[in-house]
Structures are given as structure tokens and as C-alpha cells.
Amino acid sequence: MSRRVVITGLGPVTSIGIGVDKFWSSILSGKSGISRVKGYDASRFDTQIAAEIHDFPVEKFVSKKEQKRMDRFCIFALAGAQLALEDAGMTSETYPKDRVGVIVGSGIGGIGSIETQHEILRSKGPERLNAFLIPMIIINMGSGLVAIRYGFKGPNTSVATACATGTHAIGDSFRIIQRGDADAMIAGGAEACITPLAMGGFCALHAMSRRNNEPERASRPFDKGRDGFVMGEGAGVVVLEEYEHAKNRGARIYAEVVGYGMTCDAHHITAPLDDGSGIAAAAEFAIRESNLSIEFFNYVNAHGTSTHFNDKFETVAIKKVFGDRAKKIMVSSTKSMTGHMIGAAGGVETIVCALSVSRNQVPPTTNYEEPDPDCDLDYVPNEAREAEVTAALNENLGFGGHNAVLALSKLK
Amino acid sequence: MSDTFQRIKEIVVEQLGVEEAQVTPEASFINDLGADSLDQANIVNALEEAFDVEIPDSDAEKIATVGQAVEFVDSHK
């Protein structure tokens, strides 16, 4: 029998709260983190809103010197890891250092630094480029920096599967502990791409909401009036531990990771399959691995981006997985509040599932006003719900056709 | 204290996040101010830009302390 894996620490870094307490109270009250972009002049862009983290308390997480050497996404990765480790009551001494690993991925990496340095290349020439440019922009540096700070010498890699990154990172870390290559993993995703180039690129894809005059109402997954996603930023990092080790040290256990499924649509670079079969197959793999009856699953944290096609096809997929029971499943998209945090989304949404399972509280989908005939499930509209959550799925889909699903349950 | 020293002190404080008082002429970038080779490359870069001088790699390798940086700049600008 393979080793069991539990979640013992949570590190959310989001526009609606940093750390578990603030984050969860915002989620339950339906708070929006979306406002007009402040980080740069967005007036010439079709989309001028985002879920930016304003007044980020950077000094709590990295020194002045470190700030000079890191892109914002890596600062978020370190912040998420620090919060998750503190929440788990775990220090760099809790386990032998070679038994702890790290996978904190990113969808896009240090694009803000690429933009700043490219400007210097154009205006001042190659001699003036920052010696830290390359270590600042590479996606794997999130995992590298977390390991360097804490001395974790176990398995260390990175994931870059766009919007599915965080979920793949946690799923792959789950596998690493299951097969015995590590006893604990720091896992999740970090993203900081509310920058002119990245936002301009997503505008060019016509993927983002243009509801610029109503920022807080712009991310409206499954609502008939949805018109695209809203960019978010931050990190979602968790501490995973092998169950016996966690139990022996008296760790608080939020949830058990009981299954992980991944597939690829092999269809289109940005559009999901219209029959939902790719994400449905990933969900079925995760449920099968759990050895739990499908009746046990009653909450799905959907990818729910607030784009026309994602929400429609994801609804089809949930019906494919749950059949007649689909309408009884609570389905919510917390992107209605956090925005779409791209590579960090799966990390934050796994945190949501862990808290839902642990506390029997289900987050709402906010801004749900007008039902769409194509989206006819229980999206937990606008109000959080107290309900026993026996087992939950976290679903994420990424450009490239990547699908990742994690199954979480109360400790079996 | 020369103007050059004052300006270099500002650059070092900015690049390395150290206190002004730590930046003495005798201070070694690596041993006293916590720099690594990448920090040193950035400091040389900032000196070249601030003083409009060129510092070839062969000279950069010899600049180990703040005082040596001041000397180099004063003799080349």
C-alpha cells in the first residue's frame, strides 16, 4: 500500500488576504480583490482592471537586498512558503533536510523583469543589463529560492503548465511523498504578471473581461453576463507531509490528498475540448485513485475562469463525471474574488478545498446574477454555505490543453 | 570625504541593502558587505554608468574594497 499524504500547512498570498485567517474570512464574506490597475498606466489597454496585491508587506518576507535580486513572482513564492511552513508549525529542522523537497511553479515567471531589462537593453545597451536578469526570470527559481532559504535538499523541480501549474505542482509532490522520495514537500505556484506586456498579450487574446467600470463585478464565473477572466497575482503554497510522520509530530491535518489525475486535451492551444472529456477524464482518474465512492464527493472548486467557453465546457465535464448527481454537487469558483492567479491558481484553490474539507464551509461564486442555460449546476451563488464537505475536487485547466485534478478528503 | 566616495557609498547601499555606516573605504565587498560575484558585477555596472568610465573585467577583478573602487574611479574619470 502506498504511503498516505496529508496537507498540514497553508500559505495563501492573494489580493483578498495574506495568510489563512484573512484569506478565509474574505472568501466566506465574498470579498472582491479586483480594482483598477495601479501598477502601471493601463489607460490604453482594453482591460484596465486586475486583482493586484496592493501594499504588499514585502519586508515581512524578504530583505531589501533580496528584493533587488528577485522578481515579484519569486517574492510571492517565498512569502507563500514562509506562511505555509509557519502554519504547519514546521521549521527547517523538523525533518532531515534531504527528506524535504520543493515544487513551487509559475505559469509565466519573471516577465516584469524581462520588460524592465528589455527597456534598459534598448535605451542603454547590453552592458547595462542586470547581472541578476536570468536568475530573476527563470520559472524554476521559485523552487530554488525556497530550498536555498530553508536548506531543503530533497526533490526539487518546477512546473509550468500555465493555469494548471499549482495543481500539477501539488499533485507531483503528492506522488513524490507516496513513492518515498521525500517525507514532506513544499508545493504550489506563484505568479506576478500584472505587467504591461503580459496584460497586453492577454488583451490581444481577447481572453479578459473589459468591465473596466465595475471592477468588483467583472469576474463572474458561470453567470450569463461573463465576458472574460480577470488577472490576479500572488501565490498559493501548501505543506504536504507523509501521514505517519505528520501524526507522530502532532501536526494539525487539514485534509488528506487521496487522488490526482492529469490528462491533456491534445486539441487546441487555448480552447478546451467542447465535450469536457479531457478535464472529466482527469477527475475520474483522481476519484478512482481515492478508492472512495463517488457519492462521497460533494464539492468541486471549479477552474471557473469567467470566460464563455471554459465555464460552459467545464459544466459539461462535471455532468459527465457525476451523471445524475451533478446538480447536487456544490461547485464554486473562487476566481470570482481572487481573480485568475494563473500559475498560482491551483495552489490557492487547493488551499480553498483543504479549508472547505476541514471546516465544512463552502465558498460562494460571487457576482452570480443571471443564470446561463448552458451552466445549470449549483454554483453556490453569492453566499458561502455551511455544509459537510466529505470529499472535494480541485480542477484546473491550462493553455496547451493541460488538465489537473486533485481529490481531497477528510482523514480516512 | 570625496564626492566620489559619497556617490559610491550611495550605490553600494542601494545595491547591497547595507547601512551607510558599514560602507567604509576599508570595507571588502565580499567579506564585509555580503556581496557575491553577481552583486559585484552589478556594482561595477552601476559605477560605469554613474561615472561614465569603462571598467574592463581585468580591472574589475582587482576592485575588492570600497576604497579601491574610489581609487579606480578617481584615476580614470
Side-chain angles (χ1 to χ4, degrees), chain A residues 88-117:
Chain A
M90 196 173 127
T91 70
S92 57
E93 310 301 325
T94 305
Y95 290 101
K97 291 187 175 172
D98 58 353
R99 297 298 298 163
V100 184
V102 185
I103 307 181
V104 180
S106 180
I108 300 190
I111 193 166
S113 301
I114 294 176
E115 290 171 51
T116 315
Q117 291 296 305

Side-chain angles (χ1 to χ4, degrees), chain A residues 64-65 68-69 124 127-132 135, chain B residues 14-16 34 36 38-39 41-42 45 48-49:
Chain A
K64 251 169 91 178
K65 181 181 172 190
K68 304 273 306 176
R69 309 162 69 106
K124 298 180 179 174
E127 307 77 31
R128 294 283 87 85
L129 289 173
N130 192 324
F132 294 109
Chain B
E14 165 73 13
Q15 293 286 336
L16 300 181
D36 62 19
L38 297 178
D39 292 310
N42 269 359
N45 188 344
E48 289 183 324
E49 186 168 14

Side-chain angles (χ1 to χ4, degrees), chain A residues 292-314:
Chain A
L292 293 171
S293 155
I294 194 166
E295 309 291 320
F296 240 69
F297 289 86
N298 63 346
Y299 175 56
V300 174
N301 187 291
H303 192 50
T305 56
S306 184
T307 62
H308 177 72
F309 287 121
N310 178 89
D311 298 359
K312 179 178 172 180
F313 302 152
E314 200 177 358

